[in-house]
């Protein structure tokens, strides 16, 4: 793992979405709504041109999808200065029934392409009654995918970066890991210095409000997953009176500082692994034995340690070492449907052939077949390192924290502790800090938590629902990351009802 607080929908699924995009051709326009009141008359006047812009829609991606470009200030403190161009896509409501406006969607990350998510899944995969009455809309956040993407390393450099030892055994290995983080940060500054200070979640939330107005909607309706919950909660905090029906699925807790977030996430991956292990030992093909989840965890940890000394071949120039193997296992924790694939990949890797486990890691990093990478990991670091100060600022601080991370997860703790060092060398100072989000005055907001979620622990959903003045918690008692559209009729019915008529789930609603 190379980036702290990587909050994702299924990495495997997202990598498929990226393959479904195509070019655009000319189309029509949408009239803009009037600019809303801002914090001062001067700022409202300065932003008026952005709120009054018209989008030129073009056919793109696949039949039924349209694309456009939204303009926003690069720096909201200087709205008359440079602009940034943001990619937008939509699929219009299919009917029948009264149109409810636009429904923005965001799959998480930070760094996941919302446009890719829309065209690869949400635009056709969201429940038909929702798509009938909403235009489903996506905007790639600034710095992500088609919205002036952050760049940091080329393909070979990124290959080397993902293979750096994340569990240093001595000062030399510690120095090499720190050097890798420094090189990554320096690459981002060199290739993306213009945009790097302006990819915060607050700025992306402000961009969404411009889009809301330009689409002609009085209120923002929104489904955000994983990191998308933080983006949605931030919008509600900034614009409570313009908040419509918000679904925050797989919630982050904005009140926690980075080190605590990272430690909680480490515990979340341990919870998910224990669930996988309990299932694995009941299967005849479990490569971790059939004794107990505890014994399975010990075998996996021993396998990682062996790879640290002796990587296994994969049939290509890259070998499978401890870092990539760990990432491959973590990738499969996001979705329990990947567990059979993980069992097979571990069986092959433990037998000396690492290509299947490497493929899981490549899907997580969104590595393409030609050796290039999407900008997911670059945008992920850029946003996280701007939104909060670093978890740790020196290797000595990490070393002191390793025992607490290992307590949270004996399997993944050490590696995830050292991954938390990535923002220590970031060239741009953080502009945000941990704080409670209450969003006083916002319409009812539905927060969804999954009890064995690996990346966004259930406790975070409970906390965010309690912080929000109008929050309601919907619980999914299950495995995997996020809940909407993942097979629970109970969850889907509750969320669809809320999106279609505004009725929130009853207090204490639990689903399986």
């Amino acid at each position: 793992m190379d980036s702290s607080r990587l909050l994702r929908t299924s990495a495997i699924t997202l990598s498929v979405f990226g393959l479904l995009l195509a070019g655009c051709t000319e189309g029509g326009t949408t009239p803009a709504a009037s600019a809303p009141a801002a914090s001062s008359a001067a700022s409202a006047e300065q932003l008026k041109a952005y709120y009054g812009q018209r989008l030129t829609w073009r056919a793109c991606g696949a039949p039924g999808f349209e694309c456009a470009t939204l303009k926003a200030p690069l720096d909201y403190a200087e709205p008359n200065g440079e602009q940034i161009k943001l990619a937008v896509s939509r699929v219009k409501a299919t009917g029948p029934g009264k149109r409810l406006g636009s429904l923005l969607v965001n799959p998480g990350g930070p760094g996941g392409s919302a446009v890719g998510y829309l065209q690869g899944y949400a635009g056709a995969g969201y429940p038909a009654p929702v798509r009938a009455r909403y235009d489903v809309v996506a905007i790639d956040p600034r710095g992500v995918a088609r919205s002036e993407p952050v760049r940091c390393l080329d393909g070979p450099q990124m290959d080397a970066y993902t293979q750096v030892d994340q569990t240093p055994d001595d000062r030399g290995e510690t120095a090499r890991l720190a050097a890798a983080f420094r090189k990554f940060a320096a690459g981002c500054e060199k290739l993306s210095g213009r945009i790097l200070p302006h990819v915060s979640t607050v700025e992306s939330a402000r961009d969404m409000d411009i889009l809301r107005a330009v689409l002609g909607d009085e209120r923002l309706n929104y489904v955000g997953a994983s990191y998308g919950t933080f983006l949605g909660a931030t919008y509600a905090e900034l614009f409570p009176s313009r908040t419509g029906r918000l679904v925050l699925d797989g919630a982050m807790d904005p009140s926690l500082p980075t080190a605590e977030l990272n430690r909680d996430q480490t515990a979340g991956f341990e919870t998910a692994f224990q669930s996988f292990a309990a299932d694995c030992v009941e299967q005849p093909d479990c490569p971790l034995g059939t004794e107990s989840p505890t014994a399975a965890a010990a075998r996996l940890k021993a396998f990682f340690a062996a790879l640290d000394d002796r990587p296994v071949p994969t049939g290509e120039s890259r070998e499978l070492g401890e870092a990539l193997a760990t990432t491959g296992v973590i990738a499969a924790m996001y979705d329990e449907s990947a567990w059979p694939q993980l069992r097979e990949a571990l069986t092959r890797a433990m037998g000396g052939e690492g290509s299947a486990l490497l493929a899981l890691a490549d899907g997580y990093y969104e590595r393409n077949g030609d050796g290039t990478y999407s900008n997911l990991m670059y945008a992920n670091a850029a946003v996280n390192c701007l939104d909060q100060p670093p978890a740790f600022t020196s290797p000595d601080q990490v070393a002191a924290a390793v025992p607490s991370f290992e307590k949270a997860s004996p399997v993944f703790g050490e590696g995830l502790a050292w991954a938390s060092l990535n923002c220590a060398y970031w060239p741009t100072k953080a502009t945000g800090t941990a704080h409670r989000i209450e969003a006083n005055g916002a319409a009812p907001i539905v927060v969804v938590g999954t009890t064995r979620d690996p990346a966004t622990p259930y406790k975070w959903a409970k906390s965010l629902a309690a912080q929000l003045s109008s929050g309601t918690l919907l619980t999914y008692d299950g495995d995997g990351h996020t809940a909407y559209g993942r097979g629970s009729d109970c969850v889907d019915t509750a969320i669809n009802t809320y999106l279609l008529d505004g009725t929130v789930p009853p207090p204490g609603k639990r689903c399986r």
Side-chain angles (χ1 to χ4, degrees):
M1 297 293 293
D2 75 313
S3 188
S4 64
R5 304 199 319 281
L6 181 65
L7 307 169
R8 297 280 307 272
T9 54
S10 169
I12 300 166
T13 302
L14 279 175
S15 69
V16 173
F17 290 163
L19 301 177
L20 299 178
L21 308 178
C24 300
T25 57
E26 289 303 312
T29 63
T30 293
S34 59
S39 57
S40 68
S43 59
E45 184 63 29
Q46 289 173 321
L47 292 172
K48 186 175 180 179
Y50 290 106
Y51 279 90
Q53 67 187 289
R54 297 170 66 89
L55 295 180
T56 300
W57 292 100
R58 318 173 289 280
C60 68
F65 290 99
E66 298 177 305
C67 291
T69 300
L70 182 79
K71 295 178 181 178
L74 177 65
D75 184 351
Y76 275 90
E78 297 182 7
N80 294 323
E82 290 187 74
Q83 296 181 342
I84 187 170
K85 295 180 179 179
L86 306 171
V88 180
S89 184
R90 74 177 177 187
V91 58
K92 300 190 78 172
T94 59
K98 180 182 178 182
R99 184 180 175 278
L100 296 174
S102 305
L103 179 67
L104 265 67
V105 296
N106 183 283
S113 171
V115 171
Y117 175 72
L118 172 72
Q119 296 185 358
Y121 169 65
Y126 266 31
V130 173
R131 290 184 287 110
R133 300 181 63 191
Y134 283 101
D135 293 346
V136 188
V137 182
I139 178 172
D140 276 350
R142 49 178 60 210
V144 174
R146 295 157 186 79
S147 293
E148 302 199 21
V150 172
R151 298 292 181 191
C152 301
L153 303 175
D154 62 24
Q157 290 172 330
M158 189 64 180
D159 279 347
Y161 181 67
T162 61
Q163 296 177 74
V164 173
D165 187 355
Q166 297 275 331
T167 56
D169 299 317
D170 53 42
R171 289 189 177 277
E173 290 186 351
T174 299
R176 285 191 287 276
L177 178 59
F181 287 139
R182 286 192 179 94
K183 182 176 181 178
F184 185 99
C188 297
E189 184 176 32
K190 178 180 178 180
L191 298 178
S192 302
R194 170 182 174 270
I195 193 176
L196 217 56
H198 303 294
V199 294
S200 71
T201 297
V202 166
E203 289 162 307
S204 290
R206 292 188 181 280
D207 297 338
M208 290 202 307
D209 195 57
I210 292 176
L211 179 59
R212 171 204 60 78
V214 169
L215 292 171
D217 294 320
E218 292 186 5
R219 291 173 177 261
L220 180 84
N221 301 307
Y222 175 83
V223 177
S226 196
Y227 160 78
T229 66
F230 180 47
L231 180 58
T234 300
Y235 180 90
E237 179 181 39
L238 292 172
F239 307 105
S241 65
R242 296 172 216 147
T243 297
R245 297 169 187 174
L246 263 62
V247 176
L248 308 180
D249 182 13
M252 282 185 65
D253 183 349
S255 71
L256 298 179
T258 308
E260 194 168 346
L261 281 170
N262 292 356
R263 193 177 293 109
D264 278 356
Q265 192 177 55
T266 299
F269 280 112
E270 180 67 21
T271 297
F273 174 75
Q274 288 298 321
S275 189
F276 162 76
D279 177 78
C280 186
V281 298
E282 298 296 324
Q283 307 299 326
D285 63 341
C286 181
L288 302 177
T290 58
E291 298 168 29
S292 68
T294 300
R299 285 193 176 92
L300 182 62
K301 190 172 182 179
F303 172 60
F304 287 158
L307 290 176
D308 191 21
D309 295 326
R310 199 173 295 106
V312 298
T314 64
E316 57 171 276
S317 59
R318 293 178 300 153
E319 293 183 312
L320 181 76
E322 182 182 12
L324 285 170
T326 302
T327 301
V329 172
I330 282 177
M333 296 298 101
Y334 281 78
D335 189 339
E336 67 271 25
S337 68
W339 290 357
Q341 182 182 357
L342 177 59
R343 292 198 304 271
E344 179 184 357
L346 283 171
T347 298
R348 291 172 58 180
M350 289 176 164
E353 201 285 301
S355 62
L357 199 51
L358 178 64
L360 282 169
D362 285 349
Y364 188 89
Y365 286 126
E366 292 194 356
R367 184 184 191 270
N368 303 311
D370 62 0
T372 62
Y373 289 76
S374 81
N375 95 306
L376 168 70
M377 300 308 299
Y378 314 135
N380 181 265
V383 175
N384 280 337
C385 295
L386 202 57
D387 277 350
Q388 277 207 37
F392 306 109
T393 58
S394 71
D396 287 344
Q397 288 183 356
V398 178
V402 163
S404 67
F405 276 73
E406 289 186 314
K407 182 178 180 181
S409 174
V411 177
F412 306 115
E414 183 182 7
L416 291 176
W418 283 103
S420 302
L421 187 62
N422 73 317
C423 290
Y425 309 106
W426 204 247
T428 303
K429 185 177 180 180
T431 56
T433 57
H435 65 283
R436 290 173 56 85
I437 292 182
E438 298 178 359
N440 293 312
I445 298 171
V446 174
V447 179
V448 188
T450 298
T451 56
R452 295 182 293 281
D453 191 312
T456 51
Y458 178 60
K459 62 187 283 190
W460 289 359
K462 292 196 294 183
S463 178
L464 179 60
Q467 290 172 48
L468 291 166
S469 62
S470 59
T472 294
L473 178 65
L474 173 63
T475 298
Y476 173 53
D477 187 358
D479 295 292
H481 185 37
T482 73
Y484 187 42
R486 297 191 65 247
S488 169
D489 290 339
C490 175
V491 169
D492 292 354
T493 298
I495 293 176
N496 293 345
T497 299
Y498 167 68
L499 289 174
L500 294 173
D501 67 25
T503 302
V504 300
K509 175 75 172 178
R510 294 182 72 90
C511 294
R512 291 184 180 273

